[in-house]
Amino acid sequence: MSHTTQVLVALGISLVVLIFLLIKTRLNPFLALLIGAVLTGVLGGMNPVDVAEAVKTGFGNTMASLGILIGFGVMIGKILEVSGAAKSMGNSFLKLMGEGREVIALVITGFLTSLAIFCIPAFLILFPLAKDISRRTGISINTLGIALAGGCLWSHELVPPATGPIGGAGIFNADIAQTMMWGFVFGLPMVIGVVIYSKWIGKKYYRYVGQDGVSFETDKSKVVRRKLDEEEIEEGPAAIFAIIPIIVPVLLILINAILGTLHYKGSLSPVIGFFGSPIIALGIGLLLAVYLLNRHVAKKEAIGIMDDGIASGSKILMLIGTGGALGNVVNQSGVGEVIANAVARTSLPAIMIPFIIATLIRAIQGSGTVAILTTASITAPIMQTLGVDPVQANMAACIGAMFFSYFNDGYFWTITESIGATQTKEQIMSWSVPTTICWAIGGIELLLVGMIF
């Protein structure tokens, strides 16, 4: 057997084993990825000692670039959740946007909240706002719930410091500031598509929250429209305090990136470079969250909040590190170069490789984050060999990981149960179709960007 055949067979066997472990056993994804990395190297002909070293090096390099960032991010998210800041921000956007723009307000709130909090808890924290809007206005809870979920999905899948895109950026070695900008650009047409669809599906499956705030009603003629009552808003941190810890790091990173693109070399360049580095920027965001938001909780509880944030992020840290280990083994074994050479001889646009692989992994095992990180691990060496921009490669993996959310995705059940969709057809129409719309729009965007750049 030639070396080329051996490494391809090794990767194929490893992927089959990896997918089997992810969907048919209760093995933790961290261990599944680790086993996949070892199998890829050993079956691909690497010396077992070199495989172990490649795993260690890949894990260490990835954690060195991302460990602190993710730690800061999950602590900020936990503070936003426990302090009530996310709800305060949502209520303020509702008042700011005004009557008739409730759907847009929920999209914006979901987007900002899910930058720091995983999409499932972000949705659950904000869904009571959607229910209250439905109760007051008669807007279908399907429309409001899907729009909110779409806003959360936008940042969760495409924009750092959310875990999937920032983890993929680390493995692809993509610039985080550029990933932020492109994530916003790619995601905007997608969320517009979701909003349009949510209004249509809200009419097809119309239900609103009854005046008891719990039951669902279907007779729109009984709706009594009324404005948001100030007394109904739960007391929490002022909205400005809620948004500052999220916006400040993003602005610092983007300002540094923009000035770097303009080749700014003025006297403030070192200062801007320091404060605009992702680690320092997110560290500032965490300090702002601690001092602006933790004053609403007891001091002992405040320390526990950050501890809980670190605990909740440990699983993701291990998963991302092991994804880096798999990527390094793929690189060291030569699989990436073999596949890259094969792709170069075909008419398939290179940018579509991560997109297709992430789509398949997402469909098989359900988790968007796992799909992004696994795809990045497999394709990073291939993209590097083919000369594909790391940011665009990461976007391709993130977009592919949005494909057809269904029964094996916890977010699917969170949304459908919340809006009261119990029939399989309605469940699929309510969330599987919107995510596939995002995936399709993103795929078209990838092809267009690949043609232009």
Side-chain angles (χ1 to χ4, degrees):
M1 183 184 298
S2 67
H3 175 68
T4 298
T5 303
Q6 183 178 0
V7 295
L8 289 175
V9 169
L11 180 60
I13 293 173
S14 300
L15 288 179
V16 170
V17 171
L18 175 60
I19 291 169
F20 174 80
L21 292 175
L22 288 173
I23 65 175
K24 289 295 185 181
T25 73
R26 295 186 178 182
L27 196 63
N28 187 283
F30 160 69
L31 292 174
L33 281 169
L34 189 60
I35 292 171
V38 173
L39 279 177
T40 300
V42 173
L43 297 179
M46 290 179 65
N47 184 302
V49 175
D50 292 338
V51 173
E53 187 64 29
V55 168
K56 182 178 71 173
T57 301
F59 186 94
N61 289 344
T62 304
M63 291 296 289
S65 62
L66 292 175
I68 296 175
L69 294 178
I70 293 172
F72 285 166
V74 294
M75 283 191 281
I76 293 173
K78 200 66 179 178
I79 293 171
L80 285 171
E81 177 184 346
V82 175
S83 67
K87 285 186 178 180
S88 296
M89 184 167 56
N91 279 319
S92 296
F93 276 120
L94 287 174
K95 292 195 293 182
L96 179 65
M97 299 299 292
E99 187 176 352
R101 299 184 181 88
E102 294 90 351
V103 173
I104 304 300
L106 283 177
V107 168
I108 295 172
T109 307
F111 172 83
L112 291 172
T113 304
S114 203
L115 283 170
I117 306 175
F118 291 112
C119 57
I120 291 178
F123 179 87
L124 292 174
I125 290 168
L126 297 172
F127 189 68
L129 291 174
K131 291 178 66 177
D132 184 64
I133 295 170
S134 180
R135 179 173 62 88
R136 291 185 293 103
T137 66
I139 298 175
S140 174
I141 192 63
N142 294 58
T143 295
L144 296 168
I146 293 167
L148 172 60
C152 294
L153 183 74
W154 179 7
S155 51
H156 179 74
E157 293 283 4
L158 295 177
V159 185
T163 305
I166 200 173
I171 296 171
F172 278 114
N173 197 27
D175 182 84
I176 291 177
Q178 290 187 35
T179 302
M180 285 180 178
M181 291 186 287
W182 278 107
F184 184 86
V185 170
F186 274 110
L188 187 57
M190 297 182 197
V191 81
I192 291 173
V194 169
V195 168
I196 294 172
Y197 180 84
S198 72
K199 292 182 178 181
W200 174 80
I201 200 71
K203 295 176 182 177
K204 181 177 178 64
Y205 297 104
Y206 178 77
R207 63 169 66 86
Y208 71 97
V209 179
Q211 292 306 310
D212 60 2
V214 178
S215 62
F216 292 109
E217 309 291 345
T218 57
D219 187 353
K220 194 170 185 178
S221 65
K222 295 182 179 180
V223 175
V224 179
R225 294 185 65 91
R226 58 192 183 86
K227 294 182 178 180
L228 183 66
D229 188 340
E230 294 286 345
E231 295 181 358
E232 293 181 298
I233 300 177
E234 294 183 24
E235 185 177 354
I240 187 65
F241 294 153
I243 199 171
I244 282 177
I246 302 174
I247 292 298
V248 167
V250 172
L251 290 178
L252 288 173
I253 293 170
L254 290 180
I255 289 170
N256 182 43
I258 292 169
L259 292 181
T261 302
L262 298 175
H263 304 290
Y264 172 73
K265 299 295 182 182
S267 59
L268 293 178
S269 180
V271 176
I272 295 171
F274 174 76
F275 286 104
S277 63
I279 288 178
I280 300 300
L282 274 177
I284 291 172
L286 175 60
L287 290 175
L288 288 171
V290 168
Y291 288 104
L292 293 177
L293 303 177
N294 266 353
R295 61 181 182 173
H296 292 271
V297 298
K299 289 184 178 180
K300 291 183 179 179
E301 186 180 352
I303 297 174
I305 290 172
M306 288 186 284
D307 289 343
D308 290 342
I310 293 175
S312 66
S314 61
K315 177 182 177 181
I316 295 298
L317 282 170
M318 298 300 286
L319 183 58
I320 290 173
T322 313
L326 173 57
N328 193 46
V329 172
V330 169
N331 188 34
Q332 295 296 321
S333 68
V335 177
E337 185 176 354
V338 169
I339 296 178
N341 291 333
V343 171
R345 294 192 293 268
T346 70
S347 58
L348 179 69
I351 193 65
M352 300 308 290
I353 297 174
F355 175 78
I356 293 170
I357 292 176
T359 298
L360 294 174
I361 296 175
R362 159 69 172 209
I364 291 168
Q365 55 78 46
S367 169
T369 300
V370 170
I372 293 170
L373 300 178
T374 304
T375 300
S377 303
I378 295 168
T379 62
I382 304 170
M383 297 296 99
Q384 184 178 9
T385 304
L386 290 172
V388 176
D389 179 71
V391 174
Q392 301 305 328
N394 189 34
M395 285 292 99
C398 292
I399 293 169
M402 301 174 87
F403 178 71
F404 199 76
S405 168
Y406 69 115
F407 307 128
N408 57 0
D409 180 8
Y411 199 31
F412 172 91
W413 293 111
T414 301
I415 296 162
T416 55
E417 289 290 325
S418 296
I419 65 176
T422 57
Q423 300 299 314
T424 301
K425 180 180 178 181
E426 183 184 351
Q427 290 173 335
I428 290 175
M429 292 288 287
S430 295
W431 191 237
S432 303
V433 172
T435 55
T436 305
I437 289 173
C438 292
W439 170 85
I441 292 173
I444 294 170
E445 290 177 300
L446 283 172
L447 289 172
L448 292 175
V449 169
M451 292 170 59
I452 296 172
F453 293 93

